[in-house]
Amino acid sequence: MTGAALPAADLPSFAESVAYVRALGKPSAADVLRAAEAAGRVALQPRCGVGSHAQMMTLLQDLEQHARPDVLTLTIDSHTRLKRFDQARAALERNPADLNGYPLVTHGWRRGRELNEAVSAPLEVRHGSPDARLLFTTSVAAGITSFEGGGISYNLPYSKAVPLSESLAAWREVDAMCGDLAGRGLVIDRELFGTLTAVLVPPSVSLAVSVLEAVAAAREGVRCVSVAYPQGGHFEQDVAALRAIPALAARYLPADVEVHAVLHEFMGVFPRERSNAEDLILYGALVARLGGAAKLITKTYQEAYGIPDTRAGIDGLLLASRANSPLLGFIKVDEERVGWELEWILREVAEIVEPVLCAADLYQEIVAAFQEGRLDIPFSASRYARSEVVPRRAADGAIRYHAAGSLPFSAGTRRHNERSLAADGGPRGGDLLKGLTADINYFLHEFGESPAAPS
Amino acid sequence: MRHDNDHGTRTVILGVAASDSHVVANQLIALGLRAQGWHVVNLGACTSVAEFAAAYADHPRAEAVVIGSLNGHAYEDLRDLPAVRADGLLDCPVVLGGNLSVGSYKDSADLERLYALGVDVIMSDPEALPATLDGLRARTTTAGAS
């Protein structure tokens, strides 16, 4: 492994890092999530990461000073995600602006501590690595208390040829290290990336993958799990998906594991008009509030154009924070519809995960199930998922299974999806390709923006 | 009159450029072509020029290699194309589409340098792909007959 070439010996011991976090005197990410849930408000977190250490410091401080997010992010660059540490170092030396994130391993844990000490919010590392072991130990040494990813969710959407058995084994080690740290009194929040490929993800696919990763993590000793779900676009379906998270935790996880629901504001094609983008940001924040999410990962009005600047990041956070207003308590959802969606989500997740959870070896079973299509995700980048699952939007905007591939769904579940897609004259769009494209461009249509590709 | 492979099915090789993992459009194009009866060899995300050439060796009747690139690095990712074509390892048309240069403002020079690498067709609308492939085949057939 490439990681072995790096001077891991430079890292402080876990005992020293735990003592450092204690001395740092700020809340851990788990503390922040617990407090937000207790207060009935949604904690807010932006994405952010730049190559230069000095600019990363400024970015975090500017976001904190102007928007007071509850958790701050180090988004990691793609070289580091892929363990190409030499390329990350070369790019850093040539021009840090060429990096699409902060190369934490290359900058080293001491600089990570500098960032941590520069702001009062706890930090989370967000990346996309099928094998994040060195990034994890560097993060712990930097005193970072939240770490995103999982053996399925950070492989299938990001890599083409990394076998699932390899990513699962690497993440098992990360989870076991979290267990070790929990035993020493430091609870690391392990956030699972249910967003997957971000486009038209059926809620039960997202949640089933997270349940499997969460069960695996809990068995290795992880004590705090954040289950992140991507806003799909249908209000009641999204609220139900968030409310499914505590129900799934009660059903499948030990009682001593803390579980928090996290919403990613819409990750698909964003409107280009600033006012439309801002409507969608506020709408997403209201989904998080009504779904009982502990945390919201925010977007910006520059989403359609690329990586946002600091001002847009601040504005996105300030706008999303409006949804926490005490004045908005009058907003209600159609509880009957939410209850109906929730029931179907729980049933679909059960049908997907329960046969896998029964197996003697969970890891081998996950690999075999993806091979056979009993587990599957749409639009996988990886050869290790079949991607026979084809989602569509029903006429009302809800995401359903147009094709469920080899998912072990009951006849009743298949009928439910067929009926929903057939209702109200069927989904919009003509043939499958045009229809899927229209489903992906859903919010452009809602706002009357043309689906022309942004230049 | 058909000039297809042994099963009467037309074949195309599809993939996303070497540094790019955006696969949703790629999979939609594959779905669309398969629905129209094409045999699609889809190499998916992060496919190097060498991998496209290897797939062409496996599927020499492929009518075209269709490459998507959405992260602005098309030129960088296709730098090996002239060498591979000079060695006779990719003798079918190369079609390219997507977001083909970094930045918001596109320049015709960005496309010219891609044509100079040996890209035959640059297209912006994936729905036009079947018609483009028909056009390329007509060109090949005519050339073969003359």
Short mmCIF file of all heavy atoms in Angstrom, two decimals, chain A residues 121-181:
data_model
loop_
_atom_site.label_atom_id
_atom_site.label_comp_id
_atom_site.label_asym_id
_atom_site.label_seq_id
_atom_site.Cartn_x
_atom_site.Cartn_y
_atom_site.Cartn_z
N ALA A 121 -15.47 25.79 16.08
CA ALA A 121 -16.31 24.65 15.70
C ALA A 121 -15.43 23.41 15.51
O ALA A 121 -14.29 23.53 15.08
CB ALA A 121 -17.04 24.96 14.40
N PRO A 122 -15.96 22.23 15.83
CA PRO A 122 -15.21 21.01 15.51
C PRO A 122 -15.11 20.82 14.01
O PRO A 122 -15.89 21.37 13.25
CB PRO A 122 -16.06 19.90 16.15
CG PRO A 122 -17.44 20.46 16.26
CD PRO A 122 -17.27 21.95 16.43
N LEU A 123 -14.12 20.02 13.58
CA LEU A 123 -13.88 19.80 12.15
C LEU A 123 -14.28 18.39 11.75
O LEU A 123 -14.15 17.45 12.53
CB LEU A 123 -12.39 19.98 11.83
CG LEU A 123 -11.76 21.34 12.10
CD1 LEU A 123 -10.26 21.29 11.74
CD2 LEU A 123 -12.45 22.43 11.33
N GLU A 124 -14.75 18.29 10.51
CA GLU A 124 -14.97 16.98 9.90
C GLU A 124 -14.11 16.88 8.65
O GLU A 124 -13.99 17.84 7.89
CB GLU A 124 -16.44 16.79 9.51
CG GLU A 124 -16.65 15.48 8.71
CD GLU A 124 -18.11 15.10 8.52
OE1 GLU A 124 -18.89 15.95 8.05
OE2 GLU A 124 -18.47 13.94 8.84
N VAL A 125 -13.54 15.70 8.41
CA VAL A 125 -12.84 15.43 7.16
C VAL A 125 -13.81 14.75 6.21
O VAL A 125 -14.43 13.75 6.55
CB VAL A 125 -11.59 14.55 7.41
CG1 VAL A 125 -11.11 13.92 6.12
CG2 VAL A 125 -10.49 15.41 8.02
N ARG A 126 -13.98 15.35 5.00
CA ARG A 126 -14.82 14.77 3.95
C ARG A 126 -13.92 14.52 2.74
O ARG A 126 -13.10 15.36 2.39
CB ARG A 126 -15.95 15.76 3.55
CG ARG A 126 -16.67 16.38 4.73
CD ARG A 126 -17.84 17.26 4.29
NE ARG A 126 -18.93 16.43 3.83
CZ ARG A 126 -19.89 15.95 4.62
NH1 ARG A 126 -19.93 16.27 5.90
NH2 ARG A 126 -20.83 15.19 4.12
N HIS A 127 -14.06 13.36 2.13
CA HIS A 127 -13.08 13.02 1.08
C HIS A 127 -13.65 12.16 -0.03
O HIS A 127 -14.20 12.69 -0.98
CB HIS A 127 -11.83 12.39 1.73
CG HIS A 127 -12.10 11.31 2.71
ND1 HIS A 127 -11.73 10.02 2.50
CD2 HIS A 127 -12.74 11.32 3.91
CE1 HIS A 127 -12.11 9.29 3.55
NE2 HIS A 127 -12.73 10.05 4.40
N GLY A 128 -13.65 10.84 0.06
CA GLY A 128 -14.06 9.98 -1.05
C GLY A 128 -13.04 8.88 -1.29
O GLY A 128 -12.88 8.43 -2.41
N SER A 129 -12.38 8.44 -0.21
CA SER A 129 -11.30 7.45 -0.37
C SER A 129 -11.79 6.04 -0.11
O SER A 129 -12.34 5.76 0.95
CB SER A 129 -10.18 7.70 0.66
OG SER A 129 -9.79 9.02 0.66
N PRO A 130 -11.52 5.13 -1.04
CA PRO A 130 -11.82 3.73 -0.74
C PRO A 130 -10.92 3.18 0.36
O PRO A 130 -11.30 2.25 1.05
CB PRO A 130 -11.57 3.01 -2.07
CG PRO A 130 -10.89 3.97 -2.97
CD PRO A 130 -11.09 5.34 -2.43
N ASP A 131 -9.74 3.75 0.52
CA ASP A 131 -8.84 3.33 1.61
C ASP A 131 -8.34 4.58 2.30
O ASP A 131 -7.44 5.27 1.81
CB ASP A 131 -7.67 2.51 1.06
CG ASP A 131 -6.66 2.16 2.15
OD1 ASP A 131 -6.89 2.49 3.35
OD2 ASP A 131 -5.63 1.54 1.82
N ALA A 132 -8.90 4.89 3.47
CA ALA A 132 -8.62 6.17 4.13
C ALA A 132 -7.81 6.01 5.40
O ALA A 132 -7.81 6.90 6.25
CB ALA A 132 -9.95 6.86 4.45
N ARG A 133 -7.08 4.92 5.52
CA ARG A 133 -6.47 4.64 6.83
C ARG A 133 -5.46 5.70 7.25
O ARG A 133 -5.50 6.19 8.38
CB ARG A 133 -5.83 3.25 6.82
CG ARG A 133 -6.88 2.14 6.78
CD ARG A 133 -6.28 0.78 6.57
NE ARG A 133 -5.62 0.70 5.27
CZ ARG A 133 -4.92 -0.34 4.86
NH1 ARG A 133 -4.77 -1.39 5.64
NH2 ARG A 133 -4.36 -0.34 3.66
N LEU A 134 -4.58 6.08 6.33
CA LEU A 134 -3.56 7.08 6.70
C LEU A 134 -4.21 8.46 6.89
O LEU A 134 -3.83 9.22 7.79
CB LEU A 134 -2.47 7.13 5.63
CG LEU A 134 -1.30 8.05 5.96
CD1 LEU A 134 -0.61 7.65 7.27
CD2 LEU A 134 -0.28 8.04 4.81
N LEU A 135 -5.20 8.77 6.06
CA LEU A 135 -5.92 10.03 6.22
C LEU A 135 -6.62 10.05 7.59
O LEU A 135 -6.64 11.08 8.28
CB LEU A 135 -6.94 10.20 5.09
CG LEU A 135 -7.78 11.47 5.08
CD1 LEU A 135 -6.90 12.72 5.02
CD2 LEU A 135 -8.75 11.46 3.89
N PHE A 136 -7.15 8.89 8.00
CA PHE A 136 -7.85 8.82 9.28
C PHE A 136 -6.88 9.04 10.44
O PHE A 136 -7.13 9.85 11.34
CB PHE A 136 -8.56 7.47 9.44
CG PHE A 136 -9.22 7.31 10.78
CD1 PHE A 136 -10.44 7.93 11.04
CD2 PHE A 136 -8.62 6.58 11.80
CE1 PHE A 136 -11.05 7.81 12.28
CE2 PHE A 136 -9.21 6.46 13.05
CZ PHE A 136 -10.43 7.08 13.29
N THR A 137 -5.75 8.33 10.43
CA THR A 137 -4.83 8.47 11.57
C THR A 137 -4.25 9.89 11.61
O THR A 137 -4.04 10.44 12.70
CB THR A 137 -3.69 7.43 11.51
OG1 THR A 137 -3.12 7.43 10.21
CG2 THR A 137 -4.21 6.04 11.82
N THR A 138 -4.06 10.50 10.44
CA THR A 138 -3.58 11.88 10.41
C THR A 138 -4.65 12.82 10.99
O THR A 138 -4.34 13.76 11.73
CB THR A 138 -3.21 12.29 8.97
OG1 THR A 138 -2.34 11.32 8.41
CG2 THR A 138 -2.55 13.66 8.93
N SER A 139 -5.92 12.55 10.65
CA SER A 139 -7.02 13.38 11.16
C SER A 139 -7.12 13.28 12.68
O SER A 139 -7.31 14.29 13.36
CB SER A 139 -8.35 12.91 10.56
OG SER A 139 -8.34 13.01 9.17
N VAL A 140 -7.00 12.06 13.18
CA VAL A 140 -7.08 11.87 14.64
C VAL A 140 -5.93 12.64 15.30
O VAL A 140 -6.12 13.33 16.31
CB VAL A 140 -7.02 10.37 15.01
CG1 VAL A 140 -6.88 10.18 16.52
CG2 VAL A 140 -8.28 9.66 14.50
N ALA A 141 -4.74 12.54 14.72
CA ALA A 141 -3.59 13.24 15.28
C ALA A 141 -3.80 14.76 15.27
O ALA A 141 -3.31 15.47 16.13
CB ALA A 141 -2.33 12.89 14.50
N ALA A 142 -4.58 15.23 14.28
CA ALA A 142 -4.88 16.66 14.19
C ALA A 142 -6.00 17.06 15.15
O ALA A 142 -6.38 18.23 15.21
CB ALA A 142 -5.25 17.03 12.75
N GLY A 143 -6.56 16.08 15.84
CA GLY A 143 -7.63 16.38 16.81
C GLY A 143 -8.99 16.54 16.15
O GLY A 143 -9.90 17.16 16.71
N ILE A 144 -9.15 15.97 14.95
CA ILE A 144 -10.42 16.09 14.22
C ILE A 144 -11.36 14.99 14.69
O ILE A 144 -10.97 13.82 14.76
CB ILE A 144 -10.14 16.02 12.70
CG1 ILE A 144 -9.38 17.29 12.28
CG2 ILE A 144 -11.43 15.85 11.90
CD1 ILE A 144 -8.78 17.25 10.90
N THR A 145 -12.61 15.38 15.01
CA THR A 145 -13.49 14.44 15.71
C THR A 145 -14.63 13.89 14.84
O THR A 145 -15.55 13.26 15.35
CB THR A 145 -14.08 15.11 16.97
OG1 THR A 145 -14.68 16.37 16.59
CG2 THR A 145 -13.00 15.35 18.01
N SER A 146 -14.60 14.17 13.55
CA SER A 146 -15.63 13.61 12.67
C SER A 146 -14.98 13.22 11.35
O SER A 146 -14.16 13.96 10.81
CB SER A 146 -16.75 14.64 12.44
OG SER A 146 -17.75 14.10 11.61
N PHE A 147 -15.37 12.04 10.82
CA PHE A 147 -14.70 11.49 9.65
C PHE A 147 -15.74 10.83 8.76
O PHE A 147 -16.47 9.94 9.18
CB PHE A 147 -13.67 10.45 10.10
CG PHE A 147 -12.63 10.12 9.07
CD1 PHE A 147 -11.58 10.98 8.81
CD2 PHE A 147 -12.70 8.93 8.36
CE1 PHE A 147 -10.61 10.67 7.87
CE2 PHE A 147 -11.73 8.59 7.42
CZ PHE A 147 -10.68 9.48 7.17
N GLU A 148 -15.83 11.30 7.52
CA GLU A 148 -16.86 10.79 6.62
C GLU A 148 -16.38 9.59 5.80
O GLU A 148 -15.21 9.49 5.48
CB GLU A 148 -17.30 11.90 5.64
CG GLU A 148 -18.51 11.51 4.80
CD GLU A 148 -18.88 12.55 3.75
OE1 GLU A 148 -17.98 13.12 3.12
OE2 GLU A 148 -20.09 12.78 3.56
N GLY A 149 -17.34 8.74 5.44
CA GLY A 149 -17.04 7.68 4.48
C GLY A 149 -17.46 6.30 4.96
O GLY A 149 -17.93 6.11 6.07
N GLY A 150 -17.27 5.32 4.07
CA GLY A 150 -17.59 3.94 4.38
C GLY A 150 -17.13 3.04 3.25
O GLY A 150 -16.88 3.51 2.14
N GLY A 151 -17.02 1.76 3.53
CA GLY A 151 -16.44 0.82 2.58
C GLY A 151 -17.26 0.64 1.31
O GLY A 151 -16.72 0.27 0.28
N ILE A 152 -18.56 0.90 1.38
CA ILE A 152 -19.39 0.83 0.18
C ILE A 152 -19.53 2.23 -0.43
O ILE A 152 -19.27 2.44 -1.62
CB ILE A 152 -20.80 0.29 0.52
CG1 ILE A 152 -20.73 -1.07 1.22
CG2 ILE A 152 -21.66 0.21 -0.75
CD1 ILE A 152 -22.05 -1.53 1.83
N SER A 153 -19.90 3.20 0.42
CA SER A 153 -20.30 4.52 -0.10
C SER A 153 -19.13 5.37 -0.58
O SER A 153 -19.34 6.34 -1.30
CB SER A 153 -21.08 5.28 0.98
OG SER A 153 -20.30 5.50 2.13
N TYR A 154 -17.91 5.04 -0.16
CA TYR A 154 -16.74 5.77 -0.66
C TYR A 154 -15.97 4.94 -1.69
O TYR A 154 -14.87 5.31 -2.07
CB TYR A 154 -15.83 6.19 0.50
CG TYR A 154 -16.04 7.63 0.95
CD1 TYR A 154 -17.14 8.38 0.53
CD2 TYR A 154 -15.13 8.25 1.81
CE1 TYR A 154 -17.32 9.70 0.94
CE2 TYR A 154 -15.31 9.57 2.22
CZ TYR A 154 -16.40 10.29 1.78
OH TYR A 154 -16.57 11.59 2.18
N ASN A 155 -16.59 3.86 -2.14
CA ASN A 155 -15.97 3.10 -3.23
C ASN A 155 -16.85 3.18 -4.48
O ASN A 155 -16.44 3.74 -5.50
CB ASN A 155 -15.76 1.63 -2.81
CG ASN A 155 -15.09 0.81 -3.91
OD1 ASN A 155 -15.04 1.21 -5.07
ND2 ASN A 155 -14.58 -0.36 -3.57
N LEU A 156 -18.06 2.67 -4.39
CA LEU A 156 -18.88 2.51 -5.60
C LEU A 156 -19.12 3.80 -6.40
O LEU A 156 -19.16 3.75 -7.63
CB LEU A 156 -20.21 1.84 -5.25
CG LEU A 156 -20.08 0.45 -4.61
CD1 LEU A 156 -21.46 -0.16 -4.39
CD2 LEU A 156 -19.22 -0.48 -5.47
N PRO A 157 -19.31 4.96 -5.76
CA PRO A 157 -19.50 6.17 -6.57
C PRO A 157 -18.20 6.81 -7.05
O PRO A 157 -18.24 7.72 -7.86
CB PRO A 157 -20.22 7.13 -5.60
CG PRO A 157 -20.59 6.33 -4.41
CD PRO A 157 -19.61 5.21 -4.35
N TYR A 158 -17.06 6.38 -6.52
CA TYR A 158 -15.81 7.12 -6.75
C TYR A 158 -14.76 6.36 -7.54
O TYR A 158 -13.86 6.96 -8.11
CB TYR A 158 -15.18 7.51 -5.41
CG TYR A 158 -15.90 8.62 -4.68
CD1 TYR A 158 -16.78 8.36 -3.65
CD2 TYR A 158 -15.69 9.94 -5.06
CE1 TYR A 158 -17.43 9.39 -2.98
CE2 TYR A 158 -16.33 10.97 -4.40
CZ TYR A 158 -17.21 10.69 -3.37
OH TYR A 158 -17.85 11.70 -2.72
N SER A 159 -14.80 5.05 -7.50
CA SER A 159 -13.71 4.26 -8.07
C SER A 159 -14.26 3.27 -9.08
O SER A 159 -15.40 2.84 -8.97
CB SER A 159 -12.98 3.47 -6.98
OG SER A 159 -12.43 4.36 -6.04
N LYS A 160 -13.42 2.92 -10.04
CA LYS A 160 -13.87 2.00 -11.08
C LYS A 160 -13.44 0.56 -10.78
O LYS A 160 -14.17 -0.36 -11.04
CB LYS A 160 -13.26 2.46 -12.40
CG LYS A 160 -13.44 1.56 -13.58
CD LYS A 160 -13.08 2.35 -14.84
CE LYS A 160 -12.68 1.46 -15.99
NZ LYS A 160 -12.40 2.28 -17.18
N ALA A 161 -12.25 0.42 -10.25
CA ALA A 161 -11.65 -0.91 -10.22
C ALA A 161 -11.15 -1.34 -8.84
O ALA A 161 -10.35 -2.27 -8.74
CB ALA A 161 -10.51 -0.97 -11.23
N VAL A 162 -11.59 -0.67 -7.77
CA VAL A 162 -11.17 -1.11 -6.44
C VAL A 162 -12.17 -2.16 -5.96
O VAL A 162 -13.36 -1.86 -5.79
CB VAL A 162 -11.12 0.06 -5.43
CG1 VAL A 162 -10.75 -0.44 -4.04
CG2 VAL A 162 -10.13 1.12 -5.90
N PRO A 163 -11.73 -3.41 -5.73
CA PRO A 163 -12.67 -4.43 -5.27
C PRO A 163 -13.31 -4.02 -3.94
O PRO A 163 -12.64 -3.43 -3.08
CB PRO A 163 -11.80 -5.67 -5.09
CG PRO A 163 -10.59 -5.43 -5.93
CD PRO A 163 -10.38 -3.94 -5.92
N LEU A 164 -14.60 -4.33 -3.80
CA LEU A 164 -15.30 -3.99 -2.56
C LEU A 164 -14.64 -4.65 -1.35
O LEU A 164 -14.60 -4.05 -0.27
CB LEU A 164 -16.75 -4.48 -2.65
CG LEU A 164 -17.81 -3.46 -2.99
CD1 LEU A 164 -19.16 -4.16 -3.11
CD2 LEU A 164 -17.88 -2.35 -1.94
N SER A 165 -14.11 -5.86 -1.55
CA SER A 165 -13.49 -6.54 -0.40
C SER A 165 -12.33 -5.69 0.14
O SER A 165 -12.11 -5.63 1.35
CB SER A 165 -12.99 -7.92 -0.81
OG SER A 165 -12.13 -7.81 -1.93
N GLU A 166 -11.61 -5.00 -0.76
CA GLU A 166 -10.49 -4.16 -0.31
C GLU A 166 -10.96 -2.93 0.44
O GLU A 166 -10.44 -2.57 1.50
CB GLU A 166 -9.65 -3.69 -1.52
CG GLU A 166 -8.67 -4.73 -1.98
CD GLU A 166 -7.82 -4.24 -3.15
OE1 GLU A 166 -7.64 -3.00 -3.31
OE2 GLU A 166 -7.35 -5.11 -3.90
N SER A 167 -11.96 -2.22 -0.12
CA SER A 167 -12.43 -1.01 0.56
C SER A 167 -13.10 -1.36 1.88
O SER A 167 -12.91 -0.66 2.89
CB SER A 167 -13.36 -0.20 -0.34
OG SER A 167 -14.45 -0.97 -0.79
N LEU A 168 -13.84 -2.46 1.90
CA LEU A 168 -14.50 -2.86 3.16
C LEU A 168 -13.47 -3.20 4.22
O LEU A 168 -13.62 -2.83 5.40
CB LEU A 168 -15.42 -4.06 2.91
CG LEU A 168 -16.73 -3.75 2.17
CD1 LEU A 168 -17.39 -5.04 1.68
CD2 LEU A 168 -17.70 -2.96 3.05
N ALA A 169 -12.38 -3.87 3.82
CA ALA A 169 -11.35 -4.25 4.79
C ALA A 169 -10.64 -3.01 5.33
O ALA A 169 -10.35 -2.91 6.53
CB ALA A 169 -10.35 -5.20 4.14
N ALA A 170 -10.38 -2.03 4.44
CA ALA A 170 -9.69 -0.81 4.88
C ALA A 170 -10.58 -0.03 5.85
O ALA A 170 -10.10 0.50 6.87
CB ALA A 170 -9.33 0.05 3.67
N TRP A 171 -11.87 0.06 5.53
CA TRP A 171 -12.78 0.80 6.42
C TRP A 171 -13.05 0.06 7.72
O TRP A 171 -13.34 0.66 8.75
CB TRP A 171 -14.08 1.15 5.68
CG TRP A 171 -13.88 2.36 4.82
CD1 TRP A 171 -13.55 2.38 3.50
CD2 TRP A 171 -13.94 3.73 5.24
NE1 TRP A 171 -13.39 3.68 3.08
CE2 TRP A 171 -13.63 4.53 4.12
CE3 TRP A 171 -14.21 4.36 6.46
CZ2 TRP A 171 -13.60 5.92 4.17
CZ3 TRP A 171 -14.18 5.75 6.53
CH2 TRP A 171 -13.87 6.51 5.38
N ARG A 172 -12.93 -1.28 7.68
CA ARG A 172 -13.07 -2.05 8.93
C ARG A 172 -11.97 -1.65 9.90
O ARG A 172 -12.20 -1.52 11.10
CB ARG A 172 -13.00 -3.54 8.60
CG ARG A 172 -13.27 -4.42 9.78
CD ARG A 172 -13.30 -5.88 9.38
NE ARG A 172 -13.90 -6.68 10.42
CZ ARG A 172 -14.25 -7.96 10.26
NH1 ARG A 172 -14.05 -8.56 9.11
NH2 ARG A 172 -14.80 -8.62 11.25
N GLU A 173 -10.77 -1.42 9.36
CA GLU A 173 -9.67 -0.98 10.23
C GLU A 173 -9.93 0.41 10.80
O GLU A 173 -9.65 0.69 11.96
CB GLU A 173 -8.34 -0.96 9.44
CG GLU A 173 -7.76 -2.34 9.24
CD GLU A 173 -6.37 -2.27 8.61
OE1 GLU A 173 -5.57 -1.36 8.96
OE2 GLU A 173 -6.09 -3.13 7.74
N VAL A 174 -10.49 1.31 9.96
CA VAL A 174 -10.83 2.66 10.44
C VAL A 174 -11.86 2.55 11.58
O VAL A 174 -11.72 3.19 12.63
CB VAL A 174 -11.37 3.53 9.29
CG1 VAL A 174 -12.00 4.82 9.82
CG2 VAL A 174 -10.25 3.85 8.30
N ASP A 175 -12.88 1.72 11.35
CA ASP A 175 -13.92 1.56 12.38
C ASP A 175 -13.33 0.98 13.67
O ASP A 175 -13.68 1.41 14.77
CB ASP A 175 -15.04 0.65 11.85
CG ASP A 175 -15.89 1.34 10.79
OD1 ASP A 175 -15.93 2.59 10.78
OD2 ASP A 175 -16.51 0.65 9.96
N ALA A 176 -12.41 0.02 13.51
CA ALA A 176 -11.80 -0.59 14.70
C ALA A 176 -10.96 0.46 15.45
O ALA A 176 -10.94 0.47 16.69
CB ALA A 176 -10.93 -1.77 14.29
N MET A 177 -10.31 1.36 14.69
CA MET A 177 -9.55 2.43 15.37
C MET A 177 -10.51 3.37 16.11
O MET A 177 -10.18 3.84 17.21
CB MET A 177 -8.70 3.19 14.35
CG MET A 177 -7.49 2.39 13.87
SD MET A 177 -6.33 3.38 12.89
CE MET A 177 -6.94 3.16 11.24
N CYS A 178 -11.70 3.62 15.54
CA CYS A 178 -12.70 4.42 16.25
C CYS A 178 -13.11 3.72 17.54
O CYS A 178 -13.32 4.37 18.57
CB CYS A 178 -13.95 4.63 15.38
SG CYS A 178 -13.68 5.74 14.01
N GLY A 179 -13.22 2.37 17.48
CA GLY A 179 -13.57 1.61 18.67
C GLY A 179 -12.49 1.76 19.74
O GLY A 179 -12.79 1.98 20.93
N ASP A 180 -11.24 1.67 19.31
CA ASP A 180 -10.11 1.84 20.23
C ASP A 180 -10.17 3.24 20.88
O ASP A 180 -10.06 3.38 22.10
CB ASP A 180 -8.81 1.66 19.42
CG ASP A 180 -7.54 1.79 20.25
OD1 ASP A 180 -7.64 2.16 21.44
OD2 ASP A 180 -6.46 1.53 19.70
N LEU A 181 -10.40 4.26 20.05
CA LEU A 181 -10.45 5.64 20.56
C LEU A 181 -11.62 5.81 21.52
O LEU A 181 -11.51 6.50 22.54
CB LEU A 181 -10.56 6.62 19.39
CG LEU A 181 -9.28 6.77 18.57
CD1 LEU A 181 -9.58 7.38 17.19
CD2 LEU A 181 -8.26 7.64 19.31
#
